Amino acid sequence: QEQLVESGGGSVQAGGSLRLSCEASTYAYSRYCMGWFRQAAGKEREAVAVIYTGSGYTEYADSVKGRFTISRDNAQNTLYLQMNGLKPEDTAMYYCAADGSYCPIGRGGPMYNYRGQGTQVTVSS
């Protein structure tokens, strides 16, 4: 019912680009907000980008602002994260997530109610 499946991760060199995709069930895709989290080994979880379903309003963590773009394809129930200018510190497992009421951005906040299994992004220097 609340299925989220990520794809598009991989290994790139610093300065490169990747586009992550998240295919969502209709239920998950219609939640109040959707976003992308990342979790690196030994580091705090970070919500890096959020998009609000009704308004299309987007919000980004300072660590990715100007480099990452979140977007939606309503015809495909798919969420995207375009990542440009990748840095080694962007290396992490990236998760697509959705929530019915609250989608905080940044480090230390709660995980959203629904999330996928993740896709690994590795950036080498």
Side-chain angles (χ1 to χ4, degrees):
Q1 186 180 18
E2 56 270 8
Q3 185 177 12
L4 297 161
V5 180
E6 303 95 337
S7 62
S11 297
V12 296
Q13 291 192 323
S17 298
L18 283 174
R19 188 175 79 156
L20 305 184
S21 300
C22 172
E23 294 184 26
S25 65
T26 299
Y27 180 85
Y29 196 75
S30 65
R31 296 305 87 200
Y32 177 65
C33 46
M34 297 185 75
W36 291 92
F37 273 86
R38 66 185 180 186
Q39 179 87 61
K43 293 188 177 180
E44 197 171 25
R45 182 178 59 227
E46 181 180 29
V48 297
V50 172
I51 186 166
Y52 287 83
T53 300
S55 65
Y57 176 77
T58 59
E59 195 171 4
Y60 298 92
D62 289 342
S63 59
V64 306
K65 203 170 291 183
R67 300 187 297 122
F68 290 12
T69 303
I70 189 171
S71 63
R72 301 166 60 109
D73 182 342
N74 294 334
Q76 302 292 329
N77 279 13
T78 301
L79 182 74
Y80 298 102
L81 184 68
Q82 178 67 45
M83 306 185 295
N84 298 328
L86 283 161
K87 304 175 181 181
E89 52 263 44
D90 294 319
T91 295
M93 185 71 81
Y94 283 72
Y95 299 91
C96 172
D99 198 279
S101 62
Y102 183 48
C103 290
I105 200 77
R107 298 184 188 276
M111 174 57 79
Y112 304 169
N113 281 347
Y114 314 108
R115 76 168 198 186
Q117 294 300 307
T119 185
Q120 177 68 36
V121 172
T122 303
V123 185
S124 58
S125 58

